[in-house]
């Protein structure tokens, strides 16, 4: 990856983008288009199809036909595997091109986009491609005169709805296992971050995926998202996004065909630092990156820092020092560590949270304002707010921006109570050199993952999912396949 190549790719013209339905690019039924604005400098990047309910119906109908005629669902496993592995290779070959395209509409810093978006998506297609000829059903231990077979049947048509942060990584976490299990799919990306996913759909075709198996419909959540949620012919909805939209999807399912809904939602994750942490300097460094990487637009961000009273002031000073050292700026510049906030709306919402927290008595220790305004882009200084109380909005609500809420705690019981005092349960961090205490904390904190003496590490082999209002079900690992299969049994009298 070199700056000259990135600079060449960043100015490439992006033609108007249609939906990807039944193997080809198609305009919206009413010809409507949506502007795509670059968070890097606020300029118009391109336009995409502004989908309608009719477009969703067309995509779902094509997915259904493709599923029923077995062009993918009944293709020999070795053939399906070959196609997904080929797709992984194609993504990897064009990883930088895809990563730059994604950065242009979503603002993630290029180093992270290359690794966490393009290369991660390639790895995800490879991982699930490999499962196709390795995972199969069971023969139950029944009496000798009967045969109980447990088949892994694909569910049919999967609807996937994904957000703008890490669209490719999160998209691949749904597309790859859904396809590996033999399903057809209709994907709805976020309206402001569709470009890289449209590219993946075209590459899937190039890799040999039959037409109609993987369709992408772009447009507004309130229109195409709703139509997908209400479709009578979608069997499973796999969603990542806000709790607000997650609730809507459950309503859509109830009002339509009771489709299964898997929801990966938001978080307000506690990162708990005890005075006996093995390395406080390292804890401070990681605590800063846990919230500031990708401008805090990470579902598992460690957005609540709980620090034991005795070390609070020194530790916060160290976190602020790291925050100050973050190089925020143009995400396509290789020197940048933290890129843009995704949109002006998000930036304004972040700033509103900071001002409201100040009126609730919190102190803004660093940041708290928009920066680099002269670029036209949407950048925010890493922000640390201290004196945040458990009843405060900043403690309870997900900001989804570079804003850290700091709260002191007395002892282990206090830390657990504070950790669990929100409606969320996605991620947590615990820093201690006491192994017994670490295990007690893992058991006591209600969240999908608890990191110990680190924050944010993971790989594809480890499932990701939330509890409480952070959602249900899991992306990643072999467990993700469970969302996209039905256990179908046969009982045969011999
Ligand atoms: P969002 O809910 O606004 O949008 C997500 C997707 O839903 C988009 O494609 C959007 O167009 C669509 N949508 C919006 N309204 C809809 C409606 N009425 N019907 C159907 N679809 C609709 O969320 P966002 O702002 O794009 O993403 C940020 C949120 O996603 C944060 O809460 C973040 O924590 C969460 N997130 C969770 C995870 C996880 O794994 N748990 C990962 C990343 C992001």
């Amino acid at each position: 990856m070199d700056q000259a190549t990135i600079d060449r790719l960043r100015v490439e013209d992006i033609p108007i983008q249609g939906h990807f339905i039944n193997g080809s690019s198609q305009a919206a039924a009413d010809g409507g288009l949506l502007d795509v604005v670059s968070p890097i400098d606020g300029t118009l990047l391109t336009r995409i199809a502004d989908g309608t309910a009719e477009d969703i119906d067309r995509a779902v109908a094509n997915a259904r036909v493709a599923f029923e005629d077995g062009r993918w669902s009944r293709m020999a496993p070795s053939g399906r595997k070959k196609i997904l592995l080929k797709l992984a290779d194609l993504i990897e070959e064009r990883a930088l091109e895809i990563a730059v395209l994604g950065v242009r509409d979503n603002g993630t810093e290029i180093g992270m986009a290359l690794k966490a978006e393009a290369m991660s998506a390639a790895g995800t297609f490879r991982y699930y491609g490999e499962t196709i000829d390795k995972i199969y059903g069971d023969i139950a231990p029944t009496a000798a005169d009967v045969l109980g077979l447990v088949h892994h049947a694909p569910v049919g048509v999967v609807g996937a709805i994904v957000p703008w942060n890490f669209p490719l990584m999160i998209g691949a976490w749904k597309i790859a296992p859904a396809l590996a299990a033999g399903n057809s799919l209709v994907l709805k990306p976020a309206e402001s971050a569709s470009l890289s996913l449209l590219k993946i759909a075209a590459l899937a075709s190039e890799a040999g995926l039959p037409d109609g198996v993987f369709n992408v419909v772009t447009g507004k959540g309130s229109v195409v998202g709703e139509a997908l949620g209400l479709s009578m012919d979608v069997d499973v909805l796999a969603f990542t996004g806000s709790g607000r939209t997650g609730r809507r999807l459950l309503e859509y399912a109830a009002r339509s065909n009771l489709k299964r809904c898997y929801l990966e939602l938001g978080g307000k994750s506690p990162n708990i630092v005890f005075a006996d942490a093995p390395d406080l300097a390292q804890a401070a460094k990681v605590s800063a990156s846990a919230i500031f990487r990708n401008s805090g637009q990470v579902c598992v961000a460690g957005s609540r820092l709980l620090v034991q009273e005795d070390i609070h002031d020194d530790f916060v000073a160290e976190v602020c020092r790291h925050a100050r050292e973050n190089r925020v700026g143009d995400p396509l510049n290789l020197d940048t560590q933290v890129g843009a906030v995704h949109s002006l709306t998000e930036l304004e919402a972040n700033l509103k949270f900071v001002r409201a927290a100040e009126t609730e008595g919190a102190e803004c220790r660093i940041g708290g304002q928009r920066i680099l305004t002269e670029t036209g882009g949407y950048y925010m200084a890493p922000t640390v707010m201290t004196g945040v109380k458990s009843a405060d909005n900043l403690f309870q609500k997900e900001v989804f921006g570079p804003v850290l809420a700091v709260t002191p705690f007395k002892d282990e019981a206090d830390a657990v109570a504070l950790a669990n005092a929100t409606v969320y349960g996605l991620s947590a961090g615990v820093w201690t050199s006491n192994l017994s205490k670490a295990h007690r904390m893992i058991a006591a904190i209600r969240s999908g993952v608890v990191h110990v003496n680190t924050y944010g590490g993971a790989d594809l082999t480890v499932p990701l999912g939330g509890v409480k209002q952070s959602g249900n079900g899991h992306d990643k690992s072999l467990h993700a396949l469970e969302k996209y299969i039905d256990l179908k049994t046969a009982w045969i009298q011999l």
Side-chain angles (χ1 to χ4, degrees):
M1 180 167 58
D2 64 282
Q3 192 65 56
T5 312
I6 294 169
D7 289 344
R8 182 177 52 73
L9 290 168
R10 72 181 294 160
V11 294
E12 276 185 2
D13 188 44
I14 306 171
I16 288 176
Q17 306 281 304
H19 306 305
F20 192 84
I21 298 177
N22 204 24
S24 69
S25 178
Q26 300 188 14
D30 63 2
L33 291 171
L34 273 180
D35 288 350
V36 181
V37 173
S38 167
I40 301 175
D41 56 11
T43 56
L44 180 72
L45 258 186
T46 186
R47 293 190 168 86
I48 57 170
D50 186 8
T52 63
E54 203 180 313
D55 299 325
I56 285 289
D57 289 347
R58 186 156 34 101
V60 171
N62 277 288
R64 176 58 62 189
V65 168
F67 179 74
E68 298 298 344
D69 74 13
R71 68 185 81 165
W72 176 250
S73 52
R74 291 196 292 277
M75 185 188 282
S78 57
R80 286 196 275 130
K81 172 178 164 177
K82 204 169 156 194
I83 290 171
L84 289 196
L85 295 186
K86 173 78 179 160
L87 173 57
D89 290 344
L90 290 177
I91 296 172
E92 207 166 290
E93 277 164 27
R94 299 182 207 180
L96 187 57
E97 180 196 329
I98 295 167
V100 171
L101 183 66
V103 173
R104 290 176 75 188
D105 74 1
N106 103 326
T108 294
E109 160 269 313
I110 183 63
M112 181 178 273
L114 184 64
K115 185 165 166 248
E117 284 275 272
M119 294 304 284
S120 143
T124 302
F125 281 104
R126 193 163 288 130
Y127 178 91
Y128 288 104
E130 286 289 356
T131 67
I132 293 175
D133 58 0
K134 295 180 186 63
I135 297 197
Y136 37 93
D138 313 305
I139 300 175
T142 55
D145 62 341
V146 286
L147 191 55
L149 302 180
V150 185
H151 294 278
H152 288 181
V155 296
V157 176
V158 172
I161 303 180
V162 296
W164 46 260
N165 73 317
F166 304 110
L168 207 47
M169 174 175 77
I170 293 170
W173 287 347
K174 301 186 191 309
I175 305 161
L179 292 180
N183 301 286
S184 296
L185 186 91
V186 177
L187 173 81
K188 184 246 170 287
E191 41 275 57
S192 50
S194 301
L195 301 178
S196 54
L197 283 163
L198 284 165
K199 182 87 185 166
I200 296 307
L203 287 182
S205 238
E206 194 179 323
L209 192 72
D211 293 350
V213 173
F214 172 25
N215 308 276
V216 181
V217 178
T218 58
K220 299 186 200 83
S222 56
V223 180
V224 286
E226 178 174 290
L228 193 58
L230 286 171
S231 171
M232 293 300 286
D233 219 8
V234 168
D235 301 289
V236 160
L237 260 187
F239 173 73
T240 296
S242 65
R244 188 187 59 250
T245 308
R247 278 174 206 279
R248 287 247 167 84
L249 298 185
L250 293 175
E251 283 173 26
Y252 300 152
R255 279 164 52 201
S256 55
N257 62 345
L258 295 175
K259 56 180 73 63
R260 293 208 298 263
C261 291
Y262 296 104
L263 308 174
E264 301 281 344
L265 308 175
K268 189 78 193 184
S269 301
N271 180 26
I272 305 161
V273 184
F274 285 96
D276 66 359
D279 181 346
L280 283 169
Q282 173 70 2
K285 187 174 170 207
V286 175
S287 298
S289 75
I291 176 67
F292 299 128
R293 69 198 166 119
N294 202 31
S295 288
Q297 302 165 130
V298 178
C299 56
V300 295
S303 52
R304 284 188 295 143
L305 179 63
L306 308 180
V307 191
Q308 197 154 22
E309 281 172 350
D310 343 18
I311 56 163
H312 177 273
D313 294 355
D314 289 347
F315 192 81
V316 170
E318 194 60 5
V319 172
C320 288
R321 185 175 71 77
H322 287 292
R324 201 174 297 115
E325 283 174 1
N326 267 305
R327 288 188 302 276
V328 181
D330 184 337
L332 287 172
N333 185 336
L334 282 173
D335 290 335
T336 295
Q337 290 173 307
V338 176
V341 171
H342 180 61
S343 70
L344 190 55
T345 313
E346 298 294 330
L347 177 62
E348 285 170 350
N350 296 345
L351 294 172
K352 208 164 146 196
F353 262 110
V354 173
R355 300 289 87 88
E358 284 172 332
T359 65
E360 287 183 317
E363 185 188 349
C364 181
R365 295 287 293 271
I366 184 171
Q369 78 274 8
R370 181 176 181 178
I371 53 171
L372 304 171
T373 316
E374 68 285 2
T375 62
Y378 315 132
Y379 301 94
M380 181 168 169
T383 300
V384 176
M385 307 290 295
T386 53
V388 179
K389 301 176 292 303
S390 63
D392 293 352
N393 265 313
L394 193 59
F395 189 98
Q396 295 292 339
K397 302 244 162 73
E398 183 183 46
V399 177
F400 218 56
V403 182
L404 182 63
V406 187
T407 307
F409 69 87
K410 279 197 195 58
D411 53 20
E412 195 178 320
D414 195 20
V416 170
L418 286 169
N420 288 335
T422 74
V423 297
Y424 295 111
L426 191 55
S427 173
V430 175
W431 298 80
T432 177
S433 42
N434 181 328
L435 189 60
S436 304
K437 193 200 286 178
H439 280 290
R440 287 194 299 272
M441 294 296 287
I442 293 168
I445 296 172
R446 290 191 65 202
S447 71
V449 54
V450 180
H451 304 90
V452 177
N453 295 331
T454 184
Y455 196 99
D459 73 22
L460 199 55
T461 59
V462 180
L464 171 73
V467 297
K468 296 161 72 181
Q469 290 184 33
S470 289
N472 66 77
H474 291 91
D475 280 334
K476 302 164 66 184
S477 82
L478 296 181
H479 293 286
L481 289 164
E482 293 158 14
K483 299 195 286 194
Y484 307 108
I485 60 165
D486 280 323
L487 292 184
K488 180 174 187 176
T489 60
W491 183 260
I492 303 168
Q493 188 66 52
L494 299 177

